[in-house]
Amino acid sequence: MNIDTRGRRQALRALTGMAALAGLSGLARANDKYPDKAITLLVPQPVGGDADAVCRLLQPHWRQALGQSLIIDNRAGAAGNIGTAAGARAPSDGYTLTFVNQSTMAINPFLYKDPGYQVAELEPVSLMTSIDLIICAHPSVPANNLAELLEQARRRPGAFTYGTAGNGSANHLAGEMLKSMAGVNLVHVPYRGGGPAMIGALGGEISTVVAFPLAALPHIRAGKLRALATTGSTRSAALPRVPTVAESGVAGYEFVSWMGLVAPKGTPRSRIDIVDRATRRALAEPDVRQRFTEGMTTAVGQGPEALRELITKESGKMSALISRFHLKID
């Protein structure tokens, strides 16, 4: 046997072995029944807030798309740090997912000396939504819109308060941006989540609240709160008569939040892709899109790469704002 013939036979055996390994790999994927049990979704915000509302709206559609139950586990506290840290420590088997947003991925890591987790410990899964916020007032506040409130706030510094989901939350930064750009002194009142802040606003504990729409809109429509302005670049179809902050005399103001899903670092990409596809399918359901449209929420439905890119971009933007406003939480 000459060297060329022997070399061809060795190459053929190598290719055959590679094909066999590929077949075994494909078989392993075929036999991976993921998910074959319930998946836990850690939501680092309390029941009744915007995050909880979005997740519970999607919950039955996730169950249908995944073929297994998705159990929502609210782990509120420390502006989302507690639940997010628990998600980072969870096994990387795809059976624990964590809801994330602008606060936990792009604000808290720069606001807290030690939030209890690192963004690098979490693997992006899906970018779910983008959301404009609403600045709402208790009916007792003598202002029909934000322009009127700002005018009064300039005459009476410190007389009006605004509530948020907590120190360093997206709501808080949106409020601080407003104060800075409008040149007014509004007193910040932090709560332990969006739900408690909404309760405070409804009870008249605070003058105004910077809120996410899914939690605020029912109370606005019931006349229990007055919408003063929205934080996006254009008016919302859900509140067409309510001006944006920029239209209210604060030129250049825009603040948009977002929501997504992550898994612990090391979670198999095949399982991440399964959850991502299920999430996109859930977001495409007509009833979900209708509820989102009514709730000033945009269903984005993009995958891991889009979420990773957004986290990087927003981290730069939010860290700059935190430095500008001299915010820090030990």
Side-chain angles (χ1 to χ4, degrees), residues 78 81 108-109 111-118 121 328-330:
N81 290 343
N108 293 3
L111 188 69
Y112 291 81
K113 183 177 180 181
D114 180 16
Y117 63 92
Q118 295 181 11
E121 296 175 308
K328 201 68 180 176
I329 299 176
D330 294 327

Side-chain angles (χ1 to χ4, degrees), residues 20-328:
L21 287 173
L24 286 173
S25 176
L27 181 61
R29 287 194 297 269
N31 289 335
D32 185 358
K33 300 295 185 180
Y34 176 84
D36 61 3
K37 61 181 180 180
I39 295 173
T40 297
L41 173 59
L42 296 176
V43 178
Q45 289 81 24
V47 175
D50 53 278
D52 184 66
V54 167
C55 292
R56 292 188 188 278
L57 174 61
L58 293 174
Q59 188 177 26
H61 299 291
W62 268 321
R63 181 171 60 244
Q64 183 177 15
L66 291 165
Q68 293 290 340
S69 296
L70 189 138
I71 301 168
I72 295 175
D73 183 358
N74 295 87
R75 300 277 189 97
N81 290 343
I82 292 174
T84 307
R89 293 192 299 267
S92 54
D93 56 7
Y95 286 98
T96 302
L97 305 171
T98 305
F99 171 94
V100 294
N101 57 20
Q102 196 175 38
S103 293
T104 55
M105 290 291 97
I107 296 176
N108 293 3
F110 305 99
L111 188 69
Y112 291 81
K113 183 177 180 181
D114 180 16
Y117 63 92
Q118 295 181 11
V119 172
E121 296 175 308
L122 295 159
E123 194 70 43
V125 175
S126 290
L127 173 57
M128 299 194 300
T129 68
S130 66
I131 309 171
D132 294 347
L133 280 61
I134 312 174
I135 300 172
C136 309
H138 187 268
S140 64
V141 174
N144 294 312
N145 52 55
L146 182 62
E148 292 181 6
L149 177 71
L150 294 177
E151 182 181 352
Q152 293 186 48
R154 292 186 184 101
R155 293 200 306 264
R156 302 167 57 198
F160 298 97
T161 56
Y162 78 97
T164 71
N167 285 316
S169 63
N171 323 57
H172 183 198
L173 281 185
E176 290 302 307
M177 277 183 61
L178 174 64
K179 288 170 57 178
S180 175
M181 294 178 70
V184 297
N185 179 16
L186 302 174
V187 179
H188 178 223
V189 180
Y191 286 83
R192 292 174 60 86
M198 187 59 56
I199 292 172
L202 291 168
E205 295 175 2
I206 47 180
S207 309
T208 65
V209 61
V210 182
F212 280 82
L214 284 177
L217 282 170
H219 305 299
I220 293 170
R221 289 166 179 154
K224 297 178 180 178
L225 289 176
R226 182 182 301 127
L228 300 181
T230 56
T231 66
S233 60
T234 59
R235 293 194 184 195
S236 168
L239 295 172
R241 296 184 179 180
V242 178
T244 65
V245 174
E247 288 179 302
S248 303
V250 189
Y253 184 99
E254 180 183 359
F255 195 98
V256 180
S257 191
W258 47 269
M259 300 177 176
L261 288 182
V262 298
K265 191 73 174 179
T267 300
R269 179 59 190 248
S270 60
R271 297 189 174 190
I272 285 175
D273 288 341
I274 287 171
V275 175
D276 177 39
R277 287 195 297 271
T279 301
R280 296 189 199 209
R281 177 176 166 182
L283 290 168
E285 291 293 332
D287 67 315
V288 170
R289 287 191 170 273
Q290 181 179 350
R291 286 282 300 279
F292 277 178
T293 298
E294 294 171 351
M296 293 173 54
T297 302
T298 301
V300 178
Q302 295 180 357
E305 286 71 27
L307 179 55
R308 182 177 289 107
E309 181 179 345
L310 181 61
I311 290 171
T312 300
K313 177 182 176 182
E314 287 281 284
S315 293
K317 178 181 177 181
M318 294 299 138
S319 63
L321 286 176
I322 289 168
S323 176
R324 173 183 171 186
F325 299 133
H326 306 291
L327 302 176
K328 201 68 180 176

